[in-house]
Amino acid sequence: MSSGISEIEPASAEPIVFRWYEAEVAAVTVVTPRVKSVRLRCAIAGRQRAGQHVDVRLTAEDGYRASRSYSVASVPDESGTLELLVEGLPDGEVSGWFFDSAEVGDKLELRGPIGGSFSWDGPDGGPLLLAGGGSGVVPLLAMLRRRAQVAPDIPAALIYSVRTRAEAIALDELEARDRDELNFSLFLRTTREGEEGRIDAALVRAALERIGAPRKVFLCGSNRFVSPAADLIVGAGVPATIVRTERFGE
Ligand SMILES: Cc1cc2nc3c(=O)[nH]c(=O)nc-3n(C[C@H](O)[C@H](O)[C@H](O)COP(=O)(O)OP(=O)(O)OC[C@H]3O[C@@H](n4cnc5c(N)ncnc54)[C@H](O)[C@@H]3O)c2cc1C
């Protein structure tokens, strides 16, 4: 799908998160065989809290429109851009456009940032327990990037379930954080290679032992990942009331 947006909508009384803003593709890079990083230049860049998402809207030349949500991977900076990490799904209408067609200079629209309860910043404190499946790691990556900037003393653990190491998003960055940041631990599980398989009670216990009782817990991924992961975490004694979940699909 191409995008035929020509100009930003006129100023209106609508709250900023409900307005659509023009955005331009500033960079596209390959992250894994299934995921691309897309940098978008837009007036709303820099307004996000870590963990929030934006809605993306594409408009075809015949006027047909499609919109989807994508977590913001980047933390606010001076670049005037924000980074999305998009997994190209087979026959995916919007992810397919990002993955196969998007080029620097293409226009689209964004609104947001959205999702105040699934977000974190330094003053919210920790310890921080994060669990992500597949591309569900994206908002958690933003939280870890923010934590490293503003609150590196807060203990944090990321349980990350992914099919293979080659499909893990930002694995180099996460392993470097695990190695270099005193209070962060990565617990990676690959479900289609190696012998460890899916996350289990022992892995959750190990993460909890590393950080102590969490005060903030964020889980993100498909339903198939989030529901059992939440059960394991609550089963390990974490109060359900502090567990925040975001689901990306089946
Ligand atoms: C709050 C939120 C944040 C999100 N953040 C991200 C993100 O950071 N990165 C990212 O890649 N995606 C993210 N998603 C998912 C994204 O919104 C789309 O659902 C996804 O890109 C598929 O859209 P599509 O138009 O390409 O596929 P569609 O054309 O809608 O569907 C194509 C096929 O894929 C299946 N499908 C749809 N969605 C998914 C899915 N999520 N997983 C597996 N199969 C699916 C459909 O059943 C269909 O068979 C997020 C979703 C939400 C709700």
Side-chain angles (χ1 to χ4, degrees):
M1 176 184 295
S2 68
S3 174
I5 310 303
S6 54
E7 54 185 25
I8 198 161
E9 288 178 20
S12 80
E14 278 185 274
I16 52 175
V17 316
F18 296 124
R19 280 186 53 198
W20 289 100
Y21 288 82
E22 185 182 63
E24 182 175 303
V25 176
V28 183
T29 49
V30 174
V31 173
T32 75
R34 296 163 60 102
V35 175
K36 283 189 177 169
S37 161
V38 182
R39 280 252 163 212
L40 298 173
R41 186 169 305 285
C42 183
I44 65 169
R47 293 185 186 161
Q48 74 275 16
R49 275 170 57 93
Q52 288 190 296
H53 64 275
V54 291
D55 285 346
V56 168
R57 183 162 78 175
L58 305 180
T59 305
E61 274 158 23
D62 65 2
Y64 173 75
R65 282 176 161 165
S67 60
R68 301 286 185 277
S69 302
Y70 292 94
S71 303
V72 182
S74 53
V75 290
D77 61 20
E78 301 303 307
S79 69
T81 67
L82 44 79
E83 180 189 30
L84 309 183
L85 291 166
V86 181
E87 178 176 359
L89 297 177
D91 301 325
E93 194 168 47
V94 174
S95 68
W97 179 80
F98 275 119
F99 199 80
D100 299 326
S101 310
E103 289 178 358
V104 171
D106 284 347
K107 300 281 199 300
L108 57 148
E109 289 172 292
L110 292 185
R111 70 176 174 192
I114 300 164
S117 64
F118 198 89
S119 73
W120 180 88
D121 203 353
D124 300 342
L128 198 50
L129 178 63
L130 310 175
S135 56
V137 78
V138 177
L140 314 179
L141 182 64
M143 291 180 192
L144 291 172
R145 288 173 170 176
R146 184 64 179 159
R147 173 192 160 278
Q149 271 185 338
V150 299
D153 293 339
I154 288 179
L158 170 64
I159 297 172
Y160 185 14
S161 175
V162 66
R163 280 186 283 222
T164 63
R165 283 181 63 85
E167 290 180 61
I169 294 173
L171 186 56
D172 288 351
E173 174 182 335
L174 292 169
E175 290 188 328
R177 292 191 186 285
D178 179 68
R179 191 179 60 239
D180 302 337
E181 295 178 7
L182 275 182
N183 300 309
F184 170 64
S185 302
L186 171 67
F187 295 86
L188 180 74
R189 275 286 165 92
T190 50
T191 57
R192 306 252 175 112
E193 69 185 7
E195 289 171 6
E196 290 169 327
R198 297 188 184 281
I199 74 166
D200 55 19
L203 187 77
V204 171
R205 266 199 313 276
L208 291 172
E209 277 165 20
R210 197 68 62 83
I211 60 171
R215 283 191 35 223
K216 299 284 171 185
V217 182
F218 295 96
L219 272 67
C220 187
S222 63
N223 268 327
R224 272 174 296 143
F225 171 79
V226 170
S227 296
D231 288 346
L232 287 170
I233 288 169
V234 172
V238 174
T241 48
I242 65 166
V243 178
R244 299 272 175 273
T245 60
E246 189 155 87
R247 295 164 198 261
F248 278 14
E250 290 308 303

